[in-house]
Each structure stands twice: as structure tokens, then as C-alpha cells.
Amino acid sequence: QVQLVESGGGLVQAGGSLRLSCAASGSIFNFNVMGWYRQAPGKQRELVAGITSGGSTNYADSVKGRFTISRDNAENTVYLQMNSLKPVDSAVYYCNANRWVPPYLEVWGQGTLVTVSS
């Protein structure tokens, strides 16, 4: 059973940077898409960034130009580099893995808290 473990969250001032890591217990090659989601209090969980097995990326409009998602297949790890952070970026960030062919599978990490002060 694949497990995802996030790390790298913390408190940072507006304009600062933070890098989140998502370490998988199994090969991320087995997943079509790896992504980062976030959820702030009272808000819906939203997609922040995704990356396919082929390397294609997708970003929420609110983070384009500031966040970068990447993957290291050898280390079975997905990263989210967050630059020029804003207070509105404050949320719990979750790593997600999806497999769209049988056997279908979706896995979530436990989340890591990011707080951006103004």
C-alpha cells in the first residue's frame, strides 16, 4: 500500500519562500498524476499544482509564476517550490496521487501547514 508523507510546512513572512516535499513509499511511476492541493479554514480544497508521469504541469491561476511543481522519480518524491508567498497562500497543503488505469488508486498525504504572515 502506497503512503505519502508531506513535509516542509511552516511559518514564513510574505514574500518569502518555502519548499514542500512529498515522499512516496512506492514508485510514483505507478501514478498518472501527482499533485498538491490546499485547504484553508472554511474553504473548499483546491488544486494548486499537478504533474503527470510525462512531465506536463498544471497550476491554479493564483499561483502561476510563483509556484513550481517537480518530481524526482529516483527518489519517489514530488516537490512544490513556493516563492513570493502571500497571506492568501496560508492553508494546509496535501499531496495527492492518482492512477487512472486499473487498478484505480487515489492516495492522500496527511497534510502540512503553511502559514504566511503579513
Side-chain angles (χ1 to χ4, degrees):
Q1 183 176 351
V2 176
Q3 296 183 75
L4 304 176
V5 180
E6 303 101 328
S7 61
L11 175 65
V12 64
Q13 293 184 354
S17 298
L18 212 57
R19 188 177 78 154
L20 306 183
S21 298
C22 172
S25 61
S27 175
I28 59 176
F29 177 79
N30 294 321
F31 298 95
N32 300 102
V33 180
M34 301 290 296
W36 287 95
Y37 289 73
R38 68 186 182 188
Q39 187 168 24
K43 307 285 286 187
Q44 293 282 322
R45 186 173 298 187
E46 64 175 348
L47 174 67
V48 177
I51 185 166
T52 69
S53 58
S56 297
T57 58
N58 181 61
Y59 298 92
D61 289 340
S62 59
V63 307
K64 286 181 179 178
R66 300 188 297 120
F67 290 11
T68 302
I69 187 171
S70 61
R71 62 194 296 168
D72 186 331
N73 291 332
E75 296 294 329
N76 292 319
T77 302
V78 177
Y79 302 96
L80 184 68
Q81 178 66 47
M82 305 185 294
N83 298 325
S84 302
L85 283 162
K86 305 174 181 179
V88 294
D89 296 319
S90 297
V92 177
Y93 284 71
Y94 298 91
C95 185
N96 171 267
N98 263 289
R99 182 180 171 88
W100 293 348
V101 296
Y104 304 110
L105 184 64
E106 183 177 48
V107 183
W108 290 92
Q110 83 289 345
T112 185
L113 178 63
V114 172
T115 302
V116 184
S117 63
S118 60

